[in-house]
C-alpha cells in the first residue's frame, strides 16, 4: 500500500520571464481567488517517483522525476489522492504499460495532456481522480474548440446543401425557359 499524491506546478517553462510571471499571476487569481483553476502541469507521485506525461518526437511521453522536482515548471502545491492497494512491483509493471500507451508524439495540449495522463494513472491505481480545477482551462478550451468546429462543419454542410438546391432550381428554371422559347417558335 502506497500513498498517491498529485503534485501541481505552474507552467513556467517559456523562455520569457514576463510570460512565466503572467501565468503564475493568472493562476494565483483564477485558482486561489476564484477557485476556477488555471494553467497547470500535473504529476502523480507513487512509491517515491513522480510520473507525468509530455510531448516528445519519439518514444514515450511518460517520465519519472523526483517528487516535487520537475525543473521544467514551478512547484505550486500537492493534493493527497488516497492509498493504492497495488504492490510496488505491480505499479512498476503498470508504468511500463502506460509508457507504451502514451507516446510523446500523441500529446495534445487540450485533449491529451499531462493532466489527462494523471487522471488515467489515478484510475488504474484505484485512487481519487485529480480535482477538476487542475485541468479545467484545457477541458473548457477543448469543449469550445469542439463546439466551434461542429458549428463550422454544420455551416459548411448547410451552405453546400443550399448551393446544391439553388443550382438545381436555377437549372430547372433555365430548362423551363429554354423549352418555352422552343415552343414559342
Amino acid at each position: 500500500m502506497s500513498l498517491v499524491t498529485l503534485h501541481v506546478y505552474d507552467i513556467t517553462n517559456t523562455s520569457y520571464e514576463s510570460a512565466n510571471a503572467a501565468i503564475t499571476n493568472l493562476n494565483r487569481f483564477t485558482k486561489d481567488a476564484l477557485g476556477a483553476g488555471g494553467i497547470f502541469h500535473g504529476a502523480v507521485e507513487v512509491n517515491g517517483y513522480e510520473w507525468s506525461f509530455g510531448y516528445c518526437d519519439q518514444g514515450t511521453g511518460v517520465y519519472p522525476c523526483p517528487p516535487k522536482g520537475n525543473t521544467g515548471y514551478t512547484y505550486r502545491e500537492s493534493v493527497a489522492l488516497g492509498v493504492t492497494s497495488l504492490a510496488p512491483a505491480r505499479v512498476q509493471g503498470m508504468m511500463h504499460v502506460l509508457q507504451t500507451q502514451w507516446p510523446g508524439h500523441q500529446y495534445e495540449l487540450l485533449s491529451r495532456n499531462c493532466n489527462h495522463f494523471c487522471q488515467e494513472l489515478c484510475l488504474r491505481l484505484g485512487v481519487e481522480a485529480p480535482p477538476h480545477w487542475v485541468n479545467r482551462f484545457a477541458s473548457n478550451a477543448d469543449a469550445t474548440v469542439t463546439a466551434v468546429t461542429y458549428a463550422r462543419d454544420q455551416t459548411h454542410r448547410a451552405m453546400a446543401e443550399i448551393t446544391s438546391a439553388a443550382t438545381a432550381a436555377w437549372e430547372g428554371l433555365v430548362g423551363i425557359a429554354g423549352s418555352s422559347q422552343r415552343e414559342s417558335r
Side-chain angles (χ1 to χ4, degrees):
M1 298 182 86
S2 297
L3 179 64
V4 178
T5 305
L6 176 73
H7 298 299
V8 181
Y9 297 81
D10 288 323
I11 295 182
T12 54
N13 60 346
T14 75
S15 56
Y16 303 101
E17 282 304 312
S18 59
N20 293 338
I23 291 169
T24 300
N25 288 332
L26 173 73
N27 287 348
R28 190 173 296 126
F29 177 70
T30 58
K31 196 277 183 184
D32 299 341
L34 300 179
I39 303 171
F40 300 116
H41 171 77
V44 172
E45 178 185 354
V46 61
N47 297 328
Y49 292 97
E50 178 181 295
W51 294 92
S52 195
F53 173 68
Y55 177 82
C56 61
D57 289 330
Q58 296 179 1
T60 184
V62 176
Y63 62 93
C65 71
K68 302 179 192 175
N70 192 322
T71 58
Y73 307 99
T74 303
Y75 174 77
R76 167 178 265 276
E77 65 185 276
S78 296
V79 179
L81 299 174
V83 176
T84 183
S85 62
L86 300 179
R90 182 115 184 253
V91 171
Q92 192 63 33
M94 182 177 57
M95 296 314 302
H96 288 298
V97 170
L98 286 169
Q99 286 176 318
T100 63
Q101 294 174 341
W102 289 76
H105 69 274
Q106 289 184 356
Y107 178 93
E108 294 285 338
L109 182 62
L110 302 179
S111 61
R112 189 176 170 90
N113 63 33
C114 57
N115 295 311
H116 294 102
F117 171 79
C118 290
Q119 187 171 359
E120 177 67 22
L121 178 53
C122 288
L123 176 71
R124 292 182 186 212
L125 290 170
V127 298
E128 205 176 306
H132 292 293
W133 57 261
V134 174
N135 205 29
R136 185 170 286 140
F137 274 22
S139 296
N140 288 346
D142 187 47
T144 301
V145 167
T146 300
V148 168
T149 300
Y150 177 78
R152 181 203 63 207
D153 292 346
Q154 293 303 312
T155 301
H156 286 298
R157 194 164 120 207
M159 290 302 296
E161 290 174 5
I162 291 167
T163 301
S164 177
T167 300
W170 177 254
E171 289 171 354
L173 290 173
V174 169
I176 292 172
S179 67
S180 293
Q181 287 177 354
R182 281 190 293 269
E183 288 177 11
S184 64
R185 290 185 203 177

